[in-house]
Amino acid sequence: MIRSAKPSDVPVIHAMIRELADYERAPQEAKATEEQLREALFGAHPAVFALIAEEAGGAGGPAGPVGFALWFRNFSTWTGTHGVYLEDLYVTPRARGGGHGKALLAELARICVERGYARFEWPVLDWNEPAIGFYAAIGAEAMDEWTVRRLSGEPLRALAAQAMGTAVTSDFLSEATSLSN
């Protein structure tokens, strides 16, 4: 079963994000806190959305989350429409092969079609052959001509300083971030 996430799901989403980071060989990069996720998903102005894949409990037991998809809207200037950008898709190892990942993707595709969105996009690590094969099997095409670029840390602060005409310090960014939350 696929359903929208609710505030009580935040701890399990947080735990699965940590598992995903371990799988992607970057546990040190998963720094988001439960509080940050709660605000992003359920605050006054939600910026992201999440779906939960839930497995029915055995012998009448309670159902339990076994996966999630975290997404946000993007916009295509070429089509003039919004789209869905899938930030994370994760299914726990014990539940893989049970159709949960495909069900999460299908629900996001349904959201796109229902809302008139033109695109559904997501990244995949180039070494993650199981995911690449899975995505190819559902008809997702690789955007081989495109590569992702990222600014973070000191290069981000240096570029921001050019716009601000001053040096941007970590203290300044921490203060600005806390004021915007």
Side-chain angles (χ1 to χ4, degrees), residues 72-144:
F72 54 90
R73 288 188 328 164
N74 60 12
F75 185 80
S76 169
T77 57
W78 290 16
T79 67
T81 62
H82 285 286
V84 164
Y85 186 89
L86 175 62
E87 179 65 21
D88 284 331
L89 175 70
Y90 182 74
V91 175
T92 60
R94 71 170 180 77
R96 291 183 189 151
H100 303 292
K102 188 172 185 180
L104 286 162
L105 292 173
E107 179 61 14
L108 287 169
R110 185 197 65 75
I111 289 169
C112 284
V113 170
E114 180 180 273
R115 296 180 185 181
Y117 297 170
R119 294 180 179 166
F120 176 19
E121 301 173 317
W122 62 92
V124 61
L125 290 167
D126 60 6
W127 56 259
N128 192 345
E129 291 299 326
I132 291 168
F134 171 65
Y135 298 146
I138 63 167
E141 60 184 302
M143 303 296 292
D144 292 332

Side-chain angles (χ1 to χ4, degrees):
M1 175 179 90
I2 304 301
R3 63 173 174 78
S4 294
K6 51 191 179 206
S8 62
D9 292 316
V10 169
V12 75
I13 293 170
H14 185 257
M16 286 191 278
I17 288 170
R18 303 287 306 168
E19 290 175 25
L20 176 61
D22 285 341
Y23 176 77
E24 291 184 351
R25 307 173 189 160
Q28 71 285 354
E29 294 181 36
K31 298 176 182 176
T33 65
E34 287 185 23
E35 293 76 27
Q36 288 172 314
L37 291 172
R38 188 171 284 104
E39 179 62 28
L41 289 163
F42 304 106
H45 304 285
V48 296
F49 309 93
L51 297 173
I52 297 292
E54 206 164 48
E55 196 168 63
V66 295
F68 78 100
L70 193 133
W71 64 279
F72 54 90
R73 288 188 328 164
N74 60 12
F75 185 80
S76 169
T77 57
W78 290 16
T79 67
T81 62
H82 285 286
V84 164
Y85 186 89
L86 175 62
E87 179 65 21
D88 284 331
L89 175 70
Y90 182 74
V91 175
T92 60
R94 71 170 180 77
R96 291 183 189 151
H100 303 292
K102 188 172 185 180
L104 286 162
L105 292 173
E107 179 61 14
L108 287 169
R110 185 197 65 75
I111 289 169
C112 284
V113 170
E114 180 180 273
R115 296 180 185 181
Y117 297 170
R119 294 180 179 166
F120 176 19
E121 301 173 317
W122 62 92
V124 61
L125 290 167
D126 60 6
W127 56 259
N128 192 345
E129 291 299 326
I132 291 168
F134 171 65
Y135 298 146
I138 63 167
E141 60 184 302
M143 303 296 292
D144 292 332
E145 300 96 23
W146 297 87
T147 59
V148 176
R149 297 288 185 240
R150 177 182 291 162
L151 275 175
S152 61
E154 190 51 42
L156 176 62
R157 288 188 287 279
L159 187 58
Q162 291 179 24
M164 299 171 66
T166 183
V168 178
T169 65
S170 295
D171 292 340
F172 172 81
L173 287 178
S174 294
E175 184 177 326
T177 301
S178 69
L179 291 175
S180 68
N181 289 336

